[in-house]
Amino acid sequence: MPQQAWSGKRERQYEHIKEEQKKQGTPTRRAKQIAAATVNKESARKGEAKTASPSSTRDISSGRRGGLRSGTNRPKGRTKEQLYNEAKRRGVKGRSRMNKTQLQRALAGKSR
């Protein structure tokens, strides 16, 4: 799936991600899909792509997200720090005294 429009850096990134996925037991075809999607999103975020979806440019980077939404390898989702930062962004009162579970509940009850 390597794209002709990718730079050398993006080609290396694609190969690295693909190999890491294969090491984790992901089938080759799926590993290629994951690697291509990740590289395409990163290039869109950096302004290297001709077109980019709004979710590619507004969402947190895949590297920082670290599988947050995968639901398979990470128990309990986001870290307390990530929840705290989201609560801060949304203006949740009393967030500094909350534990992880309390932050999750406060964010679940507060609409975006």
Side-chain angles (χ1 to χ4, degrees):
M1 277 197 179
Q3 311 274 324
Q4 289 182 345
W6 288 348
S7 64
K9 176 183 177 179
R10 297 293 175 212
E11 290 286 347
R12 291 188 303 276
Q13 183 183 28
Y14 169 83
E15 290 299 327
H16 174 74
I17 294 167
K18 182 179 75 171
E19 292 306 316
E20 287 300 315
Q21 288 294 319
K22 287 170 65 176
K23 280 183 192 176
Q24 293 176 13
T26 307
T28 303
R29 184 174 178 175
R30 180 69 179 135
K32 288 180 180 181
Q33 290 172 339
I34 291 169
T38 304
V39 170
N40 286 337
K41 183 167 187 168
E42 288 300 311
S43 65
R45 290 185 59 77
K46 301 291 183 188
E48 299 166 5
K50 291 180 184 175
T51 60
S53 69
S55 64
S56 289
T57 55
R58 288 191 212 130
D59 199 8
I60 61 175
S61 73
S62 52
R64 290 187 63 207
R65 190 174 65 241
L68 261 182
R69 299 185 192 113
S70 68
T72 56
N73 295 332
R74 290 180 60 126
K76 302 291 181 190
R78 298 184 286 178
T79 65
K80 181 181 177 187
E81 181 182 15
Q82 290 169 325
L83 292 166
Y84 177 84
N85 290 335
E86 178 72 14
K88 184 177 180 181
R89 187 178 69 77
R90 292 197 202 172
V92 174
K93 302 241 187 259
R95 64 185 172 269
S96 63
R97 294 181 301 276
M98 292 182 184
N99 63 29
K100 183 177 177 179
T101 304
Q102 291 167 329
L103 285 167
Q104 287 172 327
R105 287 184 187 141
L107 289 171
K110 198 137 170 109
S111 63
R112 290 189 172 206

